[in-house]
């Protein structure tokens, strides 16, 4: 599961305009505020926005601000109340006193300190203070008194605090804090009820201040949507006010709407669709004719520099000029419509948004940008991955080229092949049903085109129809007499608190789909209390629960070997202490050679005993002190004996791809900075294998696990250098070569490598039981090799 971004990071960062949930933590174990004691969630006045970048370099606004909102049904008198601010870990609180009342449904704007930067002052704030807030991290409290708080660095939950927001790396927040803000982004509360969890209640997006006395945006020049979009990734009118922008409303979201000009220009490179950010539920309906005034803005999804920006109008004034207008015909994407080039970009490398070239005929990113915000459609699409837990489904239109897998997916074959025809259907406007890879979506699916999480996304305006492609979980045959079967399985952060159903499904996979292998290298076993960061590292409870589940599923009684890591030194969820280990059965002539078992920090070594290689520690960890394993799982080497013959098995879980640029992102070609660490890890494992082979060139060796890299990567090539090992996934036909599905790309991340001595007497299979299925037990498919005597 750590192949891209850990679960904490991958929890979706929904932009303010969509009003979804926001997540936080990072793969590297970022220190976050502890969860504060829950208060009764406010049903009326809450903090709606927080912005500390005002007046800084690159900011548009000249002032910091805090915006309140009354969500109740009656006015609330806030005279004598205050808005208070403290730094990320400070103990002193600065105070801005409030006056007057906030009508039901209205906003209340508190202007704070101004800076030398910015060009736009706040319009008609309700009250003005002088607090200089941090642009990136800090804490804001709405207090029902006017005196400074005395609770120091931990104030969420204090009785006089009506609402509380922590952003960035802070000591205090309601639940978990909002991610760090910037000079151009604010914390924006969604439409859902106050849950007393900042990370759930707020998103990060463009500042959009408004108070009860706010006035419409400043008068600007009349414009059409194609003038605003321009033939570029960023609007030529960014930061400017525009008026009298005509169009028809094509879709309505919880905090904004899309509209489209029914009279396009003759330039196919300029989009005719645009998003209008209203910050609250829009009052327009689909089919309304509107005239909009507002400020042109570029929104950066997730506040991530690697994402492309999307053009929108903020602080709008919307005039409805008619109803029930005919909607523009959706632009078909793919074969029979707008052709999406195979190349992501063909011009000079670097920042796409700063490129002088904009060529939708040859660049996929430019082709999608040319219809950003418009009604688009895909015809007779096929699911090339499963619906994920966020209601997102990757699809490919009929006729799109690409190496198709046996089950209907599309193979990721190299760094220059992003399979650009993939689109992600999102449940933003209408629910996307659960679907498996290979399921069909007959007819036409239409909606608006947007960009999120490094991908172009289609938001259907009606729930699509899904027809099953008949996908069934794969199985493998049992090992025959004298055969030894070896499997690898990433069980995705398995912890004792996981439901019994997860253990049962994993056990079913091991017993029935994998036919009870003799050895299973297991990745992502968490410690005995899971992701509770309290110093516990032992995992015997987790191992034994899995073994008991296997037995209950009718399998043999497995034994296990592993080594507990040093607390919080192996990456993954903070406190989870994931590790690799072995399950093995002893009823078929196999035994584990226990020899001076190693510990978390003692390196494994190889010695020669009468010309036969032996591990000094069994099990033992490979070079655990080397910098290559920083915040990453250390390989576990174990010596087995099968009918008296030694077998050396090395279980691995290499560093994740977290932090790499997205395939369809702003920077092209994408930077893959995570590869360097995996390359270093591969060198160490390769050298360790070499130590065994230096004593016995024909030694039987298996290296397996989640390597978080492709069969064509430098990581894989390093492990197989000099024909020391053979990477079995690389021996499969392309349509069968995958263990994982990432955003619709079927790819190899899990590997099973064997020494040349085993090659003439093996067979091998990836058993597809997870990666292509919705509601999957793990996000990785297991694989298995059988070795004949």
């Amino acid at each position: 599961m750590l192949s891209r971004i850990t679960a904490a990071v991958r929890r979706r960062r929904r932009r303010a305009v969509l009003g979804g949930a926001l997540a936080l933590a990072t793969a590297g174990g970022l220190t976050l505020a502890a969860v504060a004691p829950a208060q009764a969630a406010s049903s009326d006045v809450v903090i709606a926005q927080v912005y500390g970048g005002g007046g800084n370099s690159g900011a548009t606004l000249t002032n910091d601000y805090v915006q309140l909102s009354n969500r109740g049904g009656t006015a609330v008198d806030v005279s004598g109340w205050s808005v208070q601010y403290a730094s990320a870990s400070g103990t002193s609180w600065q105070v801005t006193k409030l006056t007057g009342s906030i009508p039901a449904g209205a906003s209340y704007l508190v202007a704070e300190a101004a800076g030398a930067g910015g060009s736009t002052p706040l319009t008609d704030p309700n009250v003005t203070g002088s607090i200089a807030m941090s642009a990136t991290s800090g804490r804001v409290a709405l207090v029902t008194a006017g005196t400074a708080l005395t609770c120091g660095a931990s104030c969420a939950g204090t009785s006089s605090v009506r609402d509380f927001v922590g952003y960035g790396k802070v000591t205090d927040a309601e639940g978990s804090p909002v991610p760090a803000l910037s000079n151009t982004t604010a914390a924006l509360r969604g439409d859902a009820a106050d849950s007393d969890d900042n990370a759930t209640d707020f998103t990060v997006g463009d500042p959009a201040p408004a108070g009860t006395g706010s006035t419409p945006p400043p008068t600007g020049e009349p414009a059409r949507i194609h003038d605003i979009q321009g033939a570029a990734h960023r609007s030529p009118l960014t930061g400017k006010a525009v008026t009298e922008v005509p169009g028809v409303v094509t879709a309505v979201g919880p905090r904004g709407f899309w509209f489209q000009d029914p009279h396009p220009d003759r330039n196919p490179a300029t989009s005719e669709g645009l998003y209008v950010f209203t910050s609250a539920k829009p009052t327009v309906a689909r089919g309304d004719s509107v005239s909009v005034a507002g400020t042109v803005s570029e929104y950066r999804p997730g506040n991530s520099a690697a994402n492309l920006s999307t053009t929108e109008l903020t602080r709008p004034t919307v005039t409805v000029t008619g109803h029930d207008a005919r909607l523009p015909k959706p632009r078909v994407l793919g074969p029979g419509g707008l052709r999406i080039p195979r190349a992501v970009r063909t011009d000079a490398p670097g920042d796409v948004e700063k490129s002088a070239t904009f060529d939708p005929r040859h660049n996929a990113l430019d082709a999608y940008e040319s219809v950003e915000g418009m009604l688009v459609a895909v015809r007779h699409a096929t699911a090339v991955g499963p619906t994920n837990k966020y209601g997102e489904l990757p699809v490919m239109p009929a006729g799109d080229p690409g190496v198709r897998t046996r089950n209907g997916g599309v193979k990721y074959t190299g760094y220059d092949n992003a399979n650009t025809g993939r689109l992600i259907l999102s449940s933003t406007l209408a629910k996307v049903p659960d679907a498996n890879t290979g399921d069909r979506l007959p007819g036409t699916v239409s909606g608006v085109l947007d960009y999120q999480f490094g991908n172009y996304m289609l938001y259907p305006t009606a729930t699509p129809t899904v027809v099953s492609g008949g996908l069934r979980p794969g199985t493998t045959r049992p090992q025959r007499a004298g055969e030894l079967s070896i499997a690898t399985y990433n069980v995705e952060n398995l912890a004792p608190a996981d439901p019994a159903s997860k253990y049962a499904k994993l056990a079913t996979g091991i017993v029935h789909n994998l036919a009870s292998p003799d050895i299973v290298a297991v990745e992502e076993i968490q410690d005995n209390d899971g992701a509770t960061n309290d110093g516990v590292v032992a995992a015997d409870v987790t191992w034994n629960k899995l073994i008991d589940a296997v037995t209950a599923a009718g399998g043999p009684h497995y034994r296990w070997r592993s080594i507990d890591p040093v607390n919080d030194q192996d990456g993954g969820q903070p406190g989870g202490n994931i590790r690799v280990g072995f399950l093995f059965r002893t009823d078929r002539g196999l035994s584990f050679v226990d020899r001076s078992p190693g510990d978390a920090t003692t390196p494994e070594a190889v010695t020669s005993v009468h010309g036969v290689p032996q591990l000094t520690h069994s099990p033992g960890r490979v070079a655990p002190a080397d910098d290559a394993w920083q915040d990453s799982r250390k390989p576990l080497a174990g010596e087995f004996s099968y009918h008296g013959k030694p077998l050396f098995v090395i279980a691995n879980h290499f560093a994740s791809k977290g932090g790499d640029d997205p395939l369809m992102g702003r920077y092209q070609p994408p930077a893959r900075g995570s590869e360097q660490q995996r390359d270093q890890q591969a060198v160490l494992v390769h050298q360790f294998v070499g130590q065994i082979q230096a004593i016995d060139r024909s030694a039987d060796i298996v290296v397996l696990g989640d390597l978080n890299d492709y069969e064509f990567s430098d990581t894989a090539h390093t492990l197989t250098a000099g024909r020391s090992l053979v990477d079995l996934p690389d021996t499969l036909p392309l349509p069968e070569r995958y263990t994982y599905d990432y955003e619709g790309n079927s790819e190899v991340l899990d590997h099973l490598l064997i020494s040349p001595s085993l090659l003439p007497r093996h067979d091998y299979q990836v058993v597809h039981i997870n990666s292509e299925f919705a509601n999957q037990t793990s996000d990785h498919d297991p694989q298995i090799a059988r070795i004949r005597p």
Side-chain angles (χ1 to χ4, degrees):
M1 191 196 72
L2 294 173
S3 57
R4 279 296 190 282
I5 306 173
T6 59
V9 171
R10 182 67 179 139
R11 281 179 283 171
R12 314 304 273 165
R13 297 184 177 183
R14 290 291 180 194
R15 62 190 269 180
V17 299
L18 304 182
L22 176 145
L24 66 143
T26 69
L30 174 68
T31 300
L32 302 178
V35 175
Q39 284 187 269
S42 177
S43 60
D44 46 36
V45 180
V46 294
I47 297 171
Q49 297 187 33
V50 174
Y51 175 64
N56 293 348
S57 175
T60 300
L61 297 173
T62 59
N63 293 73
D64 300 339
Y65 72 85
V66 176
Q67 182 173 310
L68 309 179
S69 178
N70 181 4
R71 295 180 155 193
T74 59
V76 175
D77 187 353
V78 294
S79 298
W81 291 24
S82 61
V83 163
Q84 302 193 22
Y85 171 83
S87 64
S89 58
T91 57
S92 61
W93 290 80
Q94 301 176 69
V95 177
T96 297
K97 294 182 179 180
L98 310 182
T99 60
S101 63
I102 308 177
S107 296
Y108 185 102
L109 186 60
V110 182
E112 295 293 359
S119 58
T120 305
L122 293 177
T123 303
D124 295 338
N126 296 84
V127 68
T128 300
S130 58
I131 301 172
M133 299 162 56
S134 168
T136 56
S137 58
R139 295 169 293 148
V140 176
L142 173 62
V143 185
T144 56
T147 55
L149 292 169
T150 58
C151 40
S154 182
C155 289
T158 302
S159 59
S160 63
V161 174
R162 187 63 167 268
D163 198 12
F164 193 96
V165 177
Y167 60 98
K169 292 184 178 181
V170 293
T171 58
D172 200 12
E174 283 188 354
S176 298
V178 183
L181 305 179
S182 71
N183 294 341
T184 59
T185 57
L188 307 163
R189 183 181 287 275
D191 295 324
D194 181 17
S195 72
D196 276 351
D197 188 327
N198 294 158
T200 298
D201 294 339
F202 285 82
T203 59
V204 177
D206 289 338
T212 53
S214 294
T215 59
T219 301
E221 296 296 324
R224 309 288 290 215
I225 291 176
H226 48 252
D227 300 325
I228 295 169
Q229 286 282 13
H233 282 273
R234 292 181 66 87
S235 170
L237 303 178
T238 300
K240 298 184 181 297
V242 293
T243 61
E244 302 175 30
V245 183
V248 176
V249 176
T250 55
V252 179
R255 303 194 68 181
F257 65 90
W258 287 264
F259 74 133
Q260 188 168 329
D261 195 329
H263 304 290
D265 64 3
R266 295 186 177 182
N267 184 357
T270 57
S271 172
E272 300 292 344
L274 191 62
Y275 184 79
V276 179
F277 174 55
T278 57
S279 78
K281 187 172 179 58
T283 58
V284 299
R286 195 172 193 225
D288 282 351
S289 296
V290 295
S291 176
V292 184
T295 300
V296 180
S297 178
E298 290 289 335
Y299 171 77
R300 184 82 62 195
N303 197 30
S304 169
N307 283 330
L308 292 165
S309 65
T310 56
T311 306
E312 59 185 32
L313 290 180
T314 60
R315 302 185 63 212
T317 299
V318 181
T319 303
V320 177
T321 60
H323 303 286
D324 301 320
R326 176 179 294 179
L327 297 178
K329 186 177 180 180
R331 183 74 184 273
V332 174
L333 302 183
L338 175 63
R339 186 184 70 85
I340 304 301
R342 299 291 289 166
V344 179
R345 289 283 294 189
T346 58
D347 60 348
D351 186 344
V352 170
E353 295 177 352
K354 293 181 179 179
S355 172
T357 303
F358 189 77
D359 184 2
R361 293 178 303 168
H362 298 99
N363 299 324
L365 292 183
D366 300 352
Y368 283 121
E369 172 66 27
S370 72
V371 289
E372 177 190 274
M374 290 176 59
L375 280 177
V376 298
V378 291
R379 292 175 176 166
H380 305 297
T382 299
V384 291
T387 307
N388 65 21
K389 61 184 177 183
Y390 311 108
E392 297 165 350
L393 175 65
V395 301
M396 190 79 88
D400 193 277
V403 177
R404 304 310 288 264
T405 69
R406 183 175 57 185
N407 291 333
V410 60
K411 176 74 175 83
Y412 182 56
T413 58
Y415 297 122
D416 59 350
N417 176 26
N419 291 313
T420 55
R422 293 172 300 119
L423 267 179
I424 311 296
L425 304 186
S426 168
S427 298
T428 297
L429 301 177
K431 178 177 173 55
V432 174
D434 283 350
N436 298 328
T437 299
D439 287 353
R440 294 177 292 107
L441 287 76
T444 300
V445 178
S446 62
V448 291
L449 186 76
D450 197 36
Y451 181 90
Q452 290 280 340
F453 319 118
N455 283 290
Y456 280 97
M457 294 193 165
L458 193 162
Y459 301 158
T461 51
T463 295
T465 298
V466 171
V467 176
S468 173
L471 184 67
R472 295 291 182 268
T475 59
T476 194
R477 67 169 176 82
Q479 61 272 47
R480 300 187 179 106
E483 284 185 327
L484 179 74
S485 58
I486 305 176
T488 177
Y489 199 172
N490 183 318
V491 294
E492 194 173 357
N493 282 320
L494 185 64
D498 284 338
S501 59
K502 178 173 182 176
Y503 280 90
K505 289 179 180 178
L506 290 172
T508 296
I510 292 172
V511 175
H512 298 288
N513 301 91
L514 292 175
S516 301
D518 295 297
I519 301 172
V520 184
V522 185
E523 301 91 50
E524 293 201 25
I525 290 285
Q526 289 197 351
D527 64 32
N528 288 341
D529 59 5
T532 300
N533 203 357
D534 56 1
V536 171
V537 294
D540 54 298
V541 174
T542 315
W543 284 111
N544 287 323
K545 283 194 69 170
L546 179 57
I547 289 171
D548 290 345
V550 168
T551 303
H557 180 75
Y558 280 94
R559 299 184 182 183
W560 64 275
R561 294 292 186 274
S562 187
I563 291 177
D564 296 334
V566 176
N567 187 50
D568 283 342
Q569 296 301 302
D570 282 18
Q573 293 180 338
N577 292 308
I578 55 173
R579 81 284 313 272
V580 298
F582 301 113
L583 291 177
F584 61 95
R585 52 191 296 185
T586 58
D587 58 331
R588 300 189 66 256
L590 177 74
S591 62
F592 189 88
V593 179
D594 290 294
R595 184 183 299 116
S596 181
D599 56 30
T601 59
T602 301
E604 180 66 276
V606 184
T607 60
S608 176
V609 179
H610 305 300
V612 177
Q614 286 189 358
L615 300 183
T616 57
H617 305 285
S618 182
R621 302 179 104 192
V622 176
D626 195 282
D627 288 343
W629 306 113
Q630 183 175 358
D631 294 325
S632 181
R633 283 65 53 191
K634 285 69 175 172
L636 186 72
E639 186 175 331
F640 291 83
S641 176
Y642 185 59
H643 292 301
K645 186 175 182 180
L647 172 70
F648 301 94
V649 183
I650 306 163
N652 302 272
H653 187 184
F654 282 10
S656 81
K657 288 184 176 293
D660 287 1
D661 287 345
L663 293 178
M664 302 289 283
R666 174 182 176 185
Y667 301 108
Q668 294 295 328
R672 304 186 301 272
S674 69
E675 288 183 355
Q676 182 178 359
Q677 185 177 10
R678 288 191 298 279
D679 292 348
Q680 295 169 349
Q681 293 173 342
V683 167
L684 294 174
V685 174
H686 177 71
Q687 291 173 344
F688 183 76
V689 170
Q691 293 177 38
I692 300 173
Q693 292 177 332
I695 299 170
D696 180 1
R697 184 62 187 171
S698 63
D700 291 343
I701 305 169
V702 177
V703 173
L704 72 176
D706 177 2
L707 301 186
N708 271 318
D709 225 331
Y710 315 115
E711 76 277 18
F712 50 80
S713 66
D714 288 345
T715 298
H717 293 161
T718 296
L719 287 170
T720 58
R723 291 283 294 175
S724 59
L725 296 168
V726 178
D727 189 20
L728 296 183
D730 202 31
T731 66
L732 294 174
L734 277 177
E736 300 176 22
R737 196 183 300 175
Y738 59 97
T739 69
Y740 191 86
D741 186 286
Y742 185 67
E743 297 176 341
N745 273 326
S746 295
E747 53 195 38
V748 170
L749 292 182
D750 308 84
H751 295 251
L752 203 159
L753 304 96
I754 61 175
S755 55
S757 61
L758 298 174
L759 189 60
R761 46 195 178 97
H762 89 283
D763 63 50
Y764 168 73
Q765 181 183 352
V766 178
V767 183
H768 300 296
I769 60 176
N770 288 317
S771 70
E772 299 175 303
F773 295 86
N775 304 312
Q776 54 197 213
T777 309
S778 168
D779 45 1
H780 292 253
D781 284 327
Q783 52 191 307
I784 188 167
R786 284 172 291 266
I787 301 167
R788 296 182 292 274

